[in-house]
Amino acid sequence: MDEAAAEQGSGNGGEVVRFDKLTRTFGDFTAVDSLTLAVGEGEFFGFLGPNGAGKSTTIKMAAGLLKPTSGTIRIFGLDPYRHPMEVKANIGLVPEELALYERLTGFESLVFSGRLYGLDAATARRRAVDLLGWLGLEEDGGKLVVDYSTGMKKKAALGCALIHRPRLLFLDEPFSGVDPLAVRGIKEVLHQMTREGTTIFFSSHVMELVERVCTRVAILHKGSVKAVGTLAEMRSAFGLDASATLEDIFVRAVGEPMAEESAPWLTA
Amino acid sequence: MADGVRGGGRPDRLRVLLKLQLLIQWRSARGRGMAAALGMGVMLLVMGSLAVGAGFAGYSLTEAFAQRASGPAPALWIGGAGLLAFFLFSGLFGGGAGSGFDVSRLFHLPVAAGEMVLADAAARVLGPWSLPPAAFFAGSMLACAWEGHPAFVALLPAALMLWLLQAHLVLAAGDLLLFNLRRSRRLMEAAGLVGTGLFVALLIFQNYLATRSVHGLAFGGALRWLTGAWGVLGPYLLLLPGLSAVSWVGAGWWAPFRLAAALAEAAGLLALGRLLLVRLMERGAAETGRRGRAGRPEAARTSASPLERLAIWPFCVKDFRYLTRDPYLKTALMGILLYPFLWVLIATGHGFDGRGAFLHVGLPLILLLSFSHLSTNHLAVEREGLLLLIGSPSPRWRLLAGKNLLLMGLYLGVTAAVEGYFIWRGMKPGAAADDLVMAFSMGMIYFGLGNLLSLIMPMPVAPRGRRLVPQVSGGKMFLVMLAQFAMLGAVLVVDLPVILGRLALAHVASPLLVAAALPAMVLYGALIYAVLLAAASRLMASREPALYEALVRASS
């Protein structure tokens, strides 16, 4: 993997996210291993990897939730552990395990989130109403989150992450369980946001989606970056022709799919 | 049937279920590392010596009573000893006994409900949380042997088995019965209050039976000092936590009706109070929310009420909504409200006079202890929501103060209700005001210290049945409980000027002096709280990644 390519942010403006030799261990297990990466302003950056590759751990470290074992993180040029409030005020996060209060209504969740980010009560309420409408939850804004389907909870979590209009958005599997119609609508708005300078750091397993929406992609495996760049750059790096999909690149970067022979009785 | 797949008989399934339960329970209780093992060892030692210690204390108190029966000091000691014994004993047992596994994960497997119940009950009796009561009984056996009563030594293991079976059966029945309600939220919400009441009634009934059987077997006049202890401590040990409702409702034919009427009245008042508070606090937001159900709101309210402008208000409102909607927190709240109510009835059951210091100082202590599960582990109770809190740029003192404000409101509300009862029983209204001020001061210090304990020793919790059960080793749970007691001691020491001032006010005739003293007492508590809050805020900012790992990542 070319380290220079990983460090190169290719957004509209300056560098928004930078990881330098970022490492995180849990006991003997190394979840993230000397990861170096840069993401520029206005990028829709895809972050791919198989289960346990270290995607969520990386996002949590970047969001100031999980302290790195070694290495450095810079968000807008700031260390999120030295300047936590400045960094947190400018980012939005949709984590894998949804950070929602299930016994609040959707509307109350959004208002509470807005207040946490310093919006006054009236602005938070106004934005919550707008977001519920945009996310297709206007009919369900008065229901408790515990009564929401998985997709509705994802939408509510996205609303909570957007209500303060963040400059950087970390999305960890944000579309799993969300209906295709809503995905399309959300994608359009997120694209619009990137055109206006918001950076989106997008982690997903859905190759087709990442291929369609992301301007640049990094493939993570066993805690380190195996490939990074635009689709064309990665095809070229792996010697694949122009018809190769992101899935082809992913398989080449990470390894072969599960061997069928390991459990022959399943197909006998 | 495919090769290697057997039907699996009932004994096979029971063995597998039992093994799984025991594995989970022992792993969870044992914890990791030397500190956890040390904590567990200390806990068992303390439980074992508790029986002997309580006996000695009771005996010496009997002597003290014989010399000066009406003084407040022995009563204070008895209350303290009784509380200590109860909280160490039942808190550990109740909290830990629920740390098995979630039987609902087996519902899709071909396992009969009866097998689940049987395996669950057996695993509870054989599980690690039988050790603390077993240590208590072992201490009693040693005491009996020392006094030369071998017959009772032989009887105590039987008493222990009886106690364990009764306790575990009630816990298992309660959990299995009420857990099913979790499957349907609406049904659970509707049946929540009734279900919790039923559970509490079962516990009361069980404790009545259990304590009577242990009494008969272990302490039935065999030991001079243990009998003396039982005579003095017994009623407090049994009655302080409201273990035996039968004692206070009387033994006549009307007793069940009195009990039912009291419970209905309390439930009705609770429901009414909650409704009024919800209406008051949610007026603006609820209107918008309701419009949301019917269709898109025409326009959101654009002005904020003065209360909404308070920086800590959103956190306070969120916690209040949660406390009144979350089934686990509602169960905890019911305990908080029932416990002081029963204590006061019992403490004043045999007359009101001559118990001044005991009631005035004892009441806030009892209340603060009953709030301890919410006030000393309040970040863990946030569960997944904690990620939203620590991911936000909101100043940390606001998060903590918002939580404290709600608990403070509840605590002072219950104190005021109890003081109202005291006034009804003949206490002067002025004394009630003095009590409230002292309670405020003690509460501020306790909740301020609670913030620090929540940050230093957080215990991840997970729902089980209708309770939030700590997911930590027995040793750590014990250390946290000791820390809670140490906090109470610290409150008594730090707030000593206010406590002494309150007791002195009873002898002060000058209204001017009283008027000057009360604001000073309030200010003292508020100042100490401000210092503690600032310290907790700084500590929280530095410990957030560790908190995330301990509370969210570890339990997800």
Side-chain angles (χ1 to χ4, degrees):
Chain A
M1 175 60 222
D2 182 5
E3 206 161 273
E7 288 183 25
Q8 178 197 351
S10 67
N12 303 333
E15 200 173 83
V16 170
V17 179
R18 166 168 280 275
F19 304 134
D20 193 14
K21 298 192 186 314
L22 188 64
T23 302
R24 173 69 210 211
T25 56
F26 296 104
D28 296 335
F29 175 67
T30 304
V32 177
D33 191 5
S34 203
L35 185 136
T36 298
L37 196 65
V39 180
E41 189 181 355
E43 273 200 78
F44 205 131
F45 189 82
F47 202 46
L48 286 175
N51 294 333
K55 303 185 296 295
S56 299
T57 303
T58 305
I59 287 178
K60 276 161 195 157
M61 285 193 284
L65 298 173
L66 205 58
K67 214 162 186 171
T69 309
S70 64
T72 56
I73 303 171
R74 290 289 178 272
I75 306 289
F76 302 112
L78 297 171
D79 181 341
Y81 294 92
R82 282 171 185 261
H83 307 277
M85 297 305 157
E86 292 88 333
V87 170
K88 285 172 182 176
N90 287 297
I91 65 175
L93 170 68
V94 178
E96 194 181 18
E97 65 279 57
L98 295 176
L100 287 169
Y101 288 99
E102 292 202 322
R103 303 281 159 173
L104 295 185
T105 66
F107 176 79
E108 288 165 356
S109 299
L110 264 63
V111 173
F112 179 63
S113 189
R115 299 299 311 271
L116 275 176
Y117 282 88
L119 300 182
D120 63 72
T123 307
R125 274 200 295 268
R126 202 169 47 242
R127 288 191 182 183
V129 170
D130 291 343
L131 280 168
L132 286 172
W134 172 60
L135 291 162
L137 291 175
E138 56 189 344
E139 300 293 324
D140 302 300
K143 281 186 188 169
L144 294 184
V145 171
V146 72
D147 289 332
Y148 281 11
S149 67
T150 307
M152 289 160 82
K153 284 180 184 169
K154 287 271 179 186
K155 288 181 186 177
L158 187 62
C160 289
L162 289 173
I163 196 160
H164 60 293
R165 183 70 172 89
R167 289 166 59 202
L168 168 63
L169 196 53
F170 288 105
L171 305 175
D172 197 354
E173 289 290 350
F175 294 136
S176 65
V178 181
D179 59 274
L181 212 60
V183 169
R184 190 179 178 141
I186 293 168
K187 255 179 2 191
E188 279 167 17
V189 173
L190 292 179
H191 265 305
Q192 179 63 30
M193 286 173 70
T194 57
R195 279 193 287 275
E196 287 166 17
T198 302
T199 307
I200 296 176
F201 197 96
F202 178 71
S203 161
S204 177
H205 288 113
V206 187
M207 302 287 164
E208 295 79 12
L209 189 64
V210 175
E211 192 170 341
R212 255 182 287 139
V213 301
C214 293
T215 47
R216 231 157 48 96
V217 175
I219 296 174
L220 199 68
H221 185 44
K222 292 183 179 171
S224 56
V225 175
K226 298 294 173 195
V228 67
T230 62
L231 210 57
E233 285 168 354
M234 287 201 290
R235 278 187 194 121
S236 159
F238 286 103
L240 294 166
D241 60 42
S243 64
T245 60
L246 183 58
E247 189 176 313
D248 297 328
I249 298 168
F250 183 84
V251 170
R252 182 66 70 89
V254 168
E256 292 303 310
M258 287 163 66
E260 198 179 281
E261 292 74 27
S262 57
W265 51 270
L266 269 174
T267 48
Chain B
M1 195 171 281
D3 286 347
V5 178
R6 290 185 293 129
R10 170 176 285 203
D12 273 352
R13 287 195 299 271
L14 278 176
R15 198 168 55 240
V16 170
L17 286 176
L18 187 61
K19 196 174 165 186
L20 176 66
Q21 281 238 40
L22 288 176
L23 195 69
I24 293 171
Q25 285 194 25
W26 278 97
R27 267 188 193 162
S28 140
R30 194 180 58 209
R32 287 182 196 156
M34 187 58 84
L38 194 69
M40 188 70 133
V42 173
M43 173 180 70
L44 294 179
L45 200 66
V46 170
M47 293 308 299
S49 53
L50 203 62
V52 183
F56 274 125
Y59 182 61
S60 57
L61 284 170
T62 316
E63 296 292 305
F65 260 109
Q67 291 162 14
R68 189 167 165 266
S70 61
L76 200 62
W77 277 108
I78 292 166
L83 274 175
L84 182 72
F86 171 69
F87 272 94
L88 283 177
F89 198 55
S90 68
L92 273 173
F93 182 75
S99 63
F101 79 144
D102 176 356
V103 289
S104 72
R105 292 178 192 182
L106 304 174
F107 288 169
H108 67 288
L109 298 174
V111 180
E115 291 169 10
M116 287 184 215
V117 174
L118 204 58
D120 191 60
R124 281 169 190 271
V125 173
L126 296 174
W129 293 103
S130 294
L131 283 180
F136 186 86
F137 276 81
S140 301
M141 285 168 74
L142 277 175
C144 288
W146 182 42
E147 284 284 323
H149 296 279
F152 289 95
V153 177
L155 279 175
L156 274 166
L160 168 67
M161 282 312 293
L162 188 66
W163 195 94
L164 284 176
L165 275 172
Q166 285 176 336
H168 283 302
L169 277 173
V170 168
L171 282 169
D175 276 354
L176 288 169
L177 177 75
L178 296 169
F179 195 88
N180 284 324
L181 296 177
R182 271 186 72 197
R183 297 284 120 190
S184 160
R185 195 188 65 75
R186 289 190 189 287
L187 178 62
M188 183 186 72
E189 289 296 319
L193 206 61
V194 178
T196 308
L198 180 70
F199 186 65
V200 171
L202 274 170
L203 274 178
I204 289 171
F205 183 61
Q206 180 271 325
N207 274 299
Y208 176 73
L209 283 180
T211 45
R212 284 291 173 270
S213 60
V214 173
H215 188 184
L217 288 168
F219 308 119
L223 302 164
R224 184 170 54 90
W225 55 266
L226 256 178
T227 310
W230 187 253
V232 178
L233 276 177
Y236 290 93
L237 282 171
L238 294 179
L239 301 180
L240 275 175
L243 296 183
S244 177
V246 177
S247 301
W248 64 266
V249 295
W253 60 268
W254 62 86
F257 298 102
R258 277 181 70 183
L259 186 61
L263 284 173
E265 186 186 331
L269 283 173
L270 273 177
L272 187 67
R274 176 192 176 260
L275 190 71
L276 288 173
L277 276 168
V278 168
R279 290 265 180 249
L280 279 172
M281 293 179 82
E282 298 189 335
R283 203 166 47 197
E287 280 167 12
T288 319
R290 271 199 297 280
R291 280 201 298 271
R293 260 174 235 153
R296 184 182 169 82
E298 289 303 312
R301 209 151 48 86
T302 50
S303 61
S305 67
L307 273 177
E308 281 179 319
R309 292 197 189 101
L310 276 176
I312 60 171
W313 188 245
F315 308 106
C316 188
V317 171
K318 188 273 291 174
D319 275 10
F320 177 75
R321 285 173 177 151
Y322 237 71
L323 206 57
T324 57
R325 289 176 186 171
D326 187 288
Y328 311 111
L329 294 184
K330 274 199 287 194
T331 306
L333 189 61
M334 181 166 280
I336 286 171
L337 296 176
L338 274 177
Y339 182 65
F341 176 69
L342 290 171
W343 177 82
V344 165
L345 281 179
I346 292 152
T348 59
H350 300 291
F352 191 76
D353 296 332
R355 299 188 180 206
F358 178 48
L359 287 179
H360 297 310
V361 183
L363 175 65
L365 290 178
I366 298 281
L367 283 172
L368 290 172
L369 262 182
S370 67
F371 272 87
S372 61
H373 293 301
L374 291 180
S375 62
T376 60
N377 198 30
H378 51 55
L379 292 170
V381 175
E382 293 283 322
R383 307 206 290 279
E384 298 83 4
L386 181 69
L387 215 148
L388 191 65
L389 290 187
I390 63 178
S392 81
S394 201
R396 279 19 187 175
W397 71 265
R398 290 185 188 173
L399 314 183
L400 298 170
K403 289 183 164 300
N404 295 157
L405 179 65
L406 178 73
L407 290 180
M408 195 70 189
L410 279 172
Y411 160 72
L412 286 181
V414 178
T415 310
V418 175
E419 293 293 339
Y421 170 76
F422 288 167
I423 291 170
W424 179 60
R425 294 290 304 265
M427 193 172 80
K428 289 177 186 169
D434 300 346
D435 277 351
L436 271 175
V437 167
M438 182 183 65
F440 170 83
S441 174
M442 290 171 84
M444 289 301 262
I445 297 169
Y446 189 82
F447 292 134
L449 289 170
N451 289 335
L452 291 170
L453 188 60
S454 294
L455 293 164
I456 295 166
M457 298 177 85
M459 292 194 293
V461 292
R464 177 173 161 76
R466 288 190 67 78
R467 285 168 293 146
L468 282 175
V469 177
Q471 304 292 294
V472 292
S473 68
K476 180 163 182 188
M477 205 187 293
F478 181 69
L479 287 177
V480 171
M481 294 184 79
L482 285 184
Q484 288 171 350
F485 278 104
M487 271 173 54
L488 272 189
V491 168
L492 285 174
V493 171
V494 175
D495 210 32
L496 199 60
V498 172
I499 294 169
L500 291 177
R502 159 66 192 94
L503 296 176
L505 282 177
H507 309 288
V508 171
S510 161
L512 204 64
L513 194 61
V514 173
L518 292 181
M521 287 156 77
V522 169
L523 193 64
Y524 180 80
L527 277 174
I528 303 274
Y529 175 74
V531 172
L532 291 170
L533 183 66
S537 179
R538 287 176 70 92
L539 185 66
M540 184 171 175
S542 66
R543 277 188 54 79
E544 274 171 13
L547 283 171
Y548 169 76
E549 282 202 67
L551 298 179
V552 184
R553 200 178 161 272
S555 60
S556 61

